[in-house]
Amino acid sequence: MPVQNCGSVPGRPPSGPYGLRRFNAAPAAEAEAAMLECYGSRRWAQRLAGHRPYPDLDALLAAADEAGYDLSPTDRAEALAVEVSPGLHPDAPHSAHLALAAAHAAYECKFGHVFVICLDDFRPAEHPDQVLADIRARLGHEPEQERVVTADEMRRLARGRIIELVSSQ
């Protein structure tokens, strides 16, 4: 099942093993590109690349969180535009695909962007049920409440992707 968890942003090629030292020493354009794999906002990626070097992963994650809180609605929309809604394994029953497609369509119609969820805390077998349950629950949100939840999920996704990117040496 394609999920929104750690790993590169869908549609972007992974950069392979990176490591914090390489990130800190990379030319600005390369560091920005690496951060764009984690969160699709150019402003966010430029900010993180511009504040290097980071002494450790915790400092980088703290800076990523802070940068995420400072984004404009346009920056968030840019990041959401590269996300892909989580789906089901192709072998899942047709009825499950239909139910999830309907839920995604209702969500996108109401909020104007794809549904995002960080599934890092769930076992793969739980992903389909968690996605569907969260879409249904979040459809009850008012737009401002959902904006806050979506921003938090995007920060969680970015954290997981950063950890994967720079933890490999």
Side-chain angles (χ1 to χ4, degrees):
M1 173 173 137
V3 296
Q4 295 163 326
N5 56 5
C6 58
S8 62
V9 172
R12 291 215 173 102
S15 64
Y18 210 84
L20 184 60
R21 281 192 300 265
R22 179 176 168 196
F23 174 69
N24 280 335
E30 183 180 324
E32 287 173 23
M35 289 297 99
L36 276 171
E37 290 183 19
C38 301
Y39 191 98
S41 162
R42 292 186 195 289
R43 182 170 172 253
W44 181 89
Q46 290 168 346
R47 181 171 172 180
L48 289 175
H51 286 95
R52 294 173 300 146
Y54 295 96
D56 55 35
L57 177 59
D58 288 337
L60 175 56
L61 293 173
D65 283 344
E66 182 180 330
Y69 285 112
D70 292 341
L71 294 177
S72 71
T74 302
D75 296 325
R76 281 190 211 92
E78 178 186 23
L80 279 167
V82 298
E83 291 292 333
V84 176
S85 294
L88 296 174
H89 188 278
D91 295 336
H94 182 66
S95 59
H97 284 280
L98 290 175
L100 189 58
H104 279 300
Y107 181 91
E108 290 180 29
C109 182
K110 181 171 183 178
F111 297 112
H113 59 79
V114 298
F115 174 77
V116 292
I117 183 173
C118 181
L119 296 166
D120 291 349
D121 295 335
F122 299 96
R123 294 187 325 261
E126 299 173 309
H127 290 178
D129 290 336
Q130 192 63 44
V131 168
L132 195 52
D134 272 24
I135 288 176
R136 288 179 175 151
R138 288 167 56 184
L139 277 168
H141 291 173
E142 293 299 319
E144 181 57 26
Q145 180 184 15
E146 184 56 20
R147 185 197 64 75
V148 171
V149 172
T150 298
D152 186 54
E153 291 296 318
M154 291 291 290
R155 280 188 296 278
R156 291 180 63 217
L157 287 167
R159 287 178 65 84
R161 292 167 179 165
I162 289 169
I163 290 167
E164 184 173 290
L165 180 73
V166 303
S167 292
S168 56
Q169 298 288 339

